[in-house]
Amino acid sequence: MQTKTSSYLANVLQFCIDRKSHKAGKLVQAHLFRTNQISNTFLVNRLIELYSKCGHTAAARHLFDQMPLRNIFSYHAILDSYCKLNDLSNAYDLFTSMPERNAVSWNLIISALSRNGFKEKALQGYHSMRLAGFVPTHFTLASVLSACGGLGDVKCGKECHGIAIKLALDVNLYVGNALLGMYMKCEAIADAVVVFKDLPEHNEVSFTSMMEGLVEANRVDEAFDMFRLMHRVGIIDCVSLSSVLGVCSKSVVEEFVENNGNDETRRAMHGEQIHGLVIKLGFETNLHVNNSLLDMYAKHGYMDCAEILFNSMFEVSIVSWNVMIAGYGKQHKKKRAMECMEKMRSCGFEPDEVTYINTLAACLKSGDVETGLWIFNSMSSPSLTSWNAILSGYSQNEYHREAVMLFREMQFRKVRPDRTTFAIILSSCAGMGLLEGGKQVHAALLKANFYTDLYVASGLIGVYSKCGKIQLAKHIFNNVPQFDIVCWNSMLAGLSLNSLDTEAFTFFQQMLGNRMLPTEFSYATVLNCCSSLTSLSQGWQIHGLVVKNGHSNDVYVGTALIDMYCKCGDVGGARQFFDMMPSKNTVTWNEMIHGYAQNGRGEDAVNLFAAMIQTSVKPDCITFVAVLTACSHSGLVDASLSIFNSMQGEYGIEPLNDHYTCIIDSLGRAGRFSEVEEIICKMPYKDDPIIWEVLLSSCRVHANVSLARRAANELFRLNPNNSAPYALLANMYSSLDRWDDVKDVRGVMEEWQVSKEPGCSWV
């Protein structure tokens, strides 16, 4: 009779477990207590399992503690409940108190540790399991491989791979996918490809892992090939479509080369094609896929397409609205982003933190820091991400002092900064040249144990370098336990910034000796050092490295090379490289025009300026400074006047003081003072001493006494203690034998106690 009752109750409990019927289970529990069957370990284990599945872990634990007899399954039931709730503290305490353990016990705790970010503890648990003599299962290996991937520990991952092969688990799809994920996260792409090829079968996870890993390794064309293979095999679901749309979002190339044996074919792969496939396969109503499509269009700046898709969607979520707001923000359309946020509210969606951050970013990217701060202050409890967003906005818009004050307020509110926060605030301290602020942040770094973080160390090097404390910057660099290219670049830039160009070049050689692959920034910095040293031979060496490492087509490196050749006097070499560049921006054209100006080749500069206009490259204010300087140095007065007059009328650029200085210098050198006076009457920059010094120098050459006196009087007004205008005026009078006027000038100097600085020779 007792056996039948137990069997019946077991069936009832199974029925309750299948339907997660918590209340019915309580009735069974009451019956067990009433009939004195609480010692039936099997039935109580089923009850604990029921409570665990229903999310009533406290009730399960209470029943567990009341059990007179427990077995390993009792422990597993409650341990599984803690692990599913991610209650690692109670799970670990229970695990350590178990009188006996088996492979299931270890699998549960290792999986929970790995899943919750305790990767190192998961690996320690795995090693303890092996020492205890237990053989890992496919569940064990999957959890451990995930931990190895998270830690980037490819060595441990390969050891697990070897064990998987030994146990014939490497062909298991679950383990195989875990191996793929581990190798991809460890950037061991070749090993991942081998694993993928050796798997007897593939599923969506296999393809998606390969695709995402290839994108992270910047092998976009291979990622698209993987999707094509997936399409041919017929394994496509909403997750894989979202993944390939993520590839399209990250990819900036619209076509790639496909090698078919001996010939290469250029094949295009656009997000629009994937959109067509989505419709063809009937996924156009899937919210997750549509959100991925929106994200792809928004990230590429096709907001018109995003709006059409958004308005045609059967269902939208808060993610959809957030993507649209972020898309408007990327295009600096603050007004549209704010309107979208208001419309979102009117449709019954309450903004979340991502909404606020995206709207905040839209305001900051548009330069509207005031509205950005208003949005930030409207957040009830800003998270660390929100603090970082507003700090980054302040820093990028060069509101460095406000960023420092906000960082202090963040500390008063006891919001703990992370590495991103420290990097942003160090950037602001560097921008202000605020040494004391940098030192205070340095102290906070030591307190928060971020001192050895590479990301933060680069920021510290930048602060001390820009504040002229290069020895402190070197100290930081030398004490970083592990270097990356960003740290090397920061130190290289610091040496260059402090005019230690020879030392910077030596440092660059050390960088190569340490097998650090230079980036575009590295080459641009070291080329600037070659320019400062006017060392053409070293510049040639760097040029050779640039070509060898495939950076010769980079527009920034190319611009630095042009600057180096021009400053070293090899204008022909600069022009030859300039003509070979596949893409040029305004800065590139400016450097070449300025190079001609520096080397006295005004006609070439004017011709290049004309070619720049013909190629539809819009000149900026720097372009006009360069070409006007070239005209001034080469006596091309009419050309300079024509270019100056075209600035505002044809290009909408308001002339600045540098432009007025160039045109006045050009006209003054030619003795065309009536035109100079006309320009002086119109120009808004009457308090710029350089303009008057240039004019005074021209007047001395052409003996224009009346205009020279006016220029000198303006200089006396602006700075009575500057000896330069007195000396220029006195020299002009002496060249005209007007000795009484020379005496008057020297008398004024004595009266104002102005002393002429003695000249010196560097020869």
Side-chain angles (χ1 to χ4, degrees), residues 147-370:
C148 292
L151 293 169
D153 191 347
V154 71
K155 183 181 177 183
C156 182
K158 286 187 173 181
E159 288 175 1
C160 290
H161 192 174
I163 290 168
I165 293 169
K166 185 178 179 182
L167 297 173
L169 291 173
D170 58 317
V171 292
N172 180 281
L173 188 57
Y174 193 57
V175 176
N177 287 340
L179 279 166
L180 281 178
M182 181 274 296
Y183 281 127
M184 283 299 185
K185 286 178 183 176
C186 295
E187 298 180 4
I189 309 296
D191 292 313
V193 171
V194 171
V195 170
F196 182 82
K197 287 179 178 177
D198 287 346
L199 278 174
E201 61 175 325
H202 306 99
N203 63 3
E204 296 91 335
V205 177
S206 319
F207 282 105
T208 305
S209 296
M210 283 296 294
M211 198 159 52
E212 291 177 351
L214 289 166
V215 172
E216 288 300 317
N218 203 28
R219 293 164 69 165
V220 178
D221 53 345
E222 293 174 64
F224 281 132
D225 285 340
M226 191 58 62
F227 181 74
R228 281 198 191 86
L229 177 60
M230 196 174 183
H231 187 212
R232 283 199 297 270
V233 175
I235 306 177
I236 288 188
D237 60 358
C238 58
V239 176
S240 56
L241 284 168
S242 295
S243 296
V244 77
L245 284 166
V247 177
C248 296
S249 299
K250 293 176 184 177
S251 172
V252 294
V253 293
E254 294 189 341
E255 56 180 21
F256 59 92
V257 176
E258 187 179 71
N259 198 322
N260 298 316
N262 298 323
D263 61 333
E264 290 182 342
T265 308
R266 298 199 72 80
R267 295 288 301 275
M269 174 62 77
H270 302 282
E272 289 176 335
Q273 290 178 303
I274 306 298
H275 193 170
L277 185 63
V278 166
I279 295 169
K280 183 180 177 181
L281 296 176
F283 286 102
E284 68 269 24
T285 58
N286 185 278
L287 179 61
H288 187 58
V289 173
N290 278 331
N291 284 341
S292 299
L293 275 167
L294 276 180
D295 184 59
M296 182 273 297
Y297 282 126
K299 281 182 178 171
H300 281 288
Y302 297 126
M303 287 309 294
D304 291 341
C305 297
E307 286 173 358
I308 293 168
L309 174 64
F310 183 81
N311 293 328
S312 67
M313 284 169 65
F314 294 95
E315 178 190 4
V316 295
S317 66
I318 195 167
V319 175
S320 319
W321 289 99
N322 288 344
V323 168
M324 292 298 291
I325 292 170
Y328 289 129
K330 189 181 179 188
Q331 292 192 325
H332 301 188
K333 293 181 178 179
K334 175 200 75 172
K335 189 178 177 182
R336 295 297 301 273
M338 298 285 285
E339 288 172 355
C340 193
M341 184 175 173
E342 289 305 315
K343 190 176 178 183
M344 171 184 173
R345 279 196 173 113
S346 67
C347 291
F349 289 91
E350 193 60 33
D352 61 5
E353 188 186 1
V354 177
T355 316
Y356 283 113
I357 291 172
N358 288 348
T359 314
L360 173 64
C363 294
L364 296 171
K365 284 177 182 176
S366 302
D368 189 353
V369 179
E370 187 178 342

Side-chain angles (χ1 to χ4, degrees), residues 651-670:
Y651 305 104
I653 297 173
E654 190 71 33
L656 303 175
N657 53 353
D658 287 339
H659 303 112
Y660 281 105
T661 302
C662 290
I663 193 64
I664 287 169
D665 182 43
S666 185
L667 291 167
R669 287 178 187 227

Side-chain angles (χ1 to χ4, degrees), residues 385-499:
T385 307
S386 307
W387 281 96
N388 287 346
I390 187 69
L391 282 170
S392 177
Y394 271 131
S395 184
Q396 287 173 9
N397 285 281
E398 298 188 2
Y399 288 83
H400 298 306
R401 189 169 298 279
E402 288 81 356
V404 172
M405 296 304 294
L406 198 63
F407 176 68
R408 287 178 178 171
E409 185 183 341
M410 180 181 176
Q411 291 179 303
F412 291 143
R413 292 199 196 179
K414 296 182 179 178
V415 179
R416 189 175 180 181
D418 63 359
R419 63 201 295 260
T420 304
T421 320
F422 283 119
I424 294 167
I425 204 64
L426 285 169
S427 176
S428 283
C429 290
M432 294 169 63
L434 187 62
L435 180 61
E436 286 305 312
K439 285 182 175 179
Q440 289 175 21
V441 176
H442 192 168
L445 283 169
L446 291 169
K447 189 176 179 181
N449 292 322
F450 280 106
Y451 179 71
T452 57
D453 185 276
L454 289 173
Y455 192 50
V456 172
S458 299
L460 275 173
I461 291 167
V463 170
Y464 288 129
S465 297
K466 287 184 180 177
C467 293
K469 301 293 181 182
I470 196 66
Q471 293 303 322
L472 285 174
K474 287 180 182 177
H475 176 75
I476 298 293
F477 180 82
N478 293 330
N479 283 279
V480 175
Q482 191 177 6
F483 301 112
D484 68 351
I485 191 62
V486 179
C487 261
W488 282 93
N489 283 346
S490 298
M491 195 64 238
L492 185 66
L495 293 168
S496 175
L497 189 67
N498 286 271
S499 302

